[in-house]
Amino acid sequence: MNIGIIGSGHIGGTLARLFSARGHAVLLANSRGPESLREMVAELGPGVRAVTPQEAAREAEVVVEAIPFGRLTELPREDLSGKILVTAANYYPERDGEIDLGGLSEAEYTARLLPGVRVVKAFNTIWFRHLAEQGDPGKPQSERRAIFVEADDPGAKAVVSHLIDELGFAPVDGGDLPGSTRFQPGSPLYNRDLTGREAREALATS
Ligand SMILES: NC(=O)c1ccc[n+]([C@@H]2O[C@H](COP(=O)([O-])OP(=O)(O)OC[C@H]3O[C@@H](n4cnc5c(N)ncnc54)[C@H](OP(=O)(O)O)[C@@H]3O)[C@@H](O)[C@H]2O)c1
């Protein structure tokens, strides 16, 4: 699959490596342009290409955004139309500035910024080092590290859950975008190192 990744830092760079290792074609973008990614894509190997955010959005079937929440308005809205967009971003006011979410969850707010985009929230509650190291396709789902997935579009959620499974994690259905406040910074489930089984138990009682 062609997977676009907008944001080439801790999370975006880690996902580029993992998806490429699974045989996906990765289109990697940042804010400074493809030239600034030359060394990084050379190190990541032939499955990864440096592009602009617009190209990543246009050419990929699934796009991950891993950029600071305060910069989400810079995403290429028109090029993302109709695409599945995985949002890994978390809102930290001290980093991102004061943003009025209007009472919405962070993922709902993101979806409102991007009408016509199939927004899925995932990868936001796992530290990038754990993301790099903890995937293990050899383990049963119940024993793997959990990654929560929320979306309003069941088809998009299924596609992203399959990708998470391929990386050796347990995709755990966290419900819809309005309910995804349960997985935001400060919530009890945020950044918890849980297995698939533990995550489902925690969800049932949260
Ligand atoms: N670090 C973690 O373990 C972790 C875990 C889960 C979720 N998150 C969330 O994921 C997001 C990214 O975190 P990170 O730690 O990966 O950040 P990071 O290492 O600082 O990387 C941010 C990346 O976003 C790019 N970027 C910024 N604005 C952009 C724009 N308008 N268009 C394209 N690219 C843009 C930057 O490119 P330039 O360098 O060219 O500006 C950089 O490659 C944050 O919202 C964070 O809260 C982080």
Side-chain angles (χ1 to χ4, degrees):
M1 185 185 284
N2 283 348
I3 300 181
I5 302 183
I6 302 179
S8 59
H10 293 116
I11 283 288
T14 302
L15 285 173
R17 187 180 300 280
L18 293 176
F19 284 132
S20 160
R22 293 278 176 273
H24 294 288
V26 173
L27 301 131
L28 185 62
N30 64 3
S31 75
R32 285 164 297 140
E35 188 56 30
S36 67
L37 289 167
R38 199 153 55 143
E39 272 179 40
M40 185 173 178
V41 298
E43 193 263 320
L44 287 170
V48 184
R49 192 153 57 91
V51 296
T52 64
Q54 289 75 10
E55 287 166 337
R58 277 201 296 270
E59 296 179 34
E61 293 146 84
V62 173
V63 181
V64 181
E65 69 78 8
I67 72 174
F69 195 83
R71 299 189 65 174
L72 290 177
T73 51
E74 297 169 23
L75 286 171
R77 205 164 76 157
E78 285 171 13
D79 300 297
L80 285 167
S81 184
K83 297 289 169 83
I84 296 174
L85 177 78
V86 183
T87 174
N90 291 304
Y91 174 41
Y92 285 100
E94 60 277 19
R95 178 194 65 195
D96 299 311
E98 283 302 324
I99 299 171
D100 181 6
L101 299 182
L104 302 173
S105 71
E106 293 168 19
E108 263 183 304
Y109 172 84
T110 306
R112 295 277 177 99
L113 286 179
L114 302 164
V117 179
R118 304 168 73 191
V119 173
V120 179
K121 187 176 177 88
F123 299 114
N124 70 301
T125 72
I126 181 166
W127 186 43
F128 75 100
R129 290 229 162 113
H130 287 168
L131 182 61
E133 293 161 4
Q134 291 184 336
D136 186 351
K139 283 184 180 171
Q141 291 267 343
S142 58
E143 301 305 320
R144 296 180 183 183
R145 168 76 193 251
I147 292 189
F148 292 107
V149 193
E150 301 85 54
D152 294 342
D153 177 326
K157 188 190 273 181
V159 170
V160 176
S161 297
H162 178 71
L163 288 171
I164 292 169
D165 174 52
E166 246 184 18
L167 298 183
F169 293 91
V172 175
D173 190 340
D176 59 15
L177 297 183
S180 66
T181 47
R182 286 194 293 180
F183 311 99
Q184 292 180 183
S187 66
L189 292 172
Y190 185 67
N191 276 353
R192 292 266 306 280
D193 187 347
L194 302 170
T195 64
R197 180 189 298 127
E198 289 166 343
R200 287 190 182 89
E201 286 167 4
L203 269 185
T205 56
S206 76

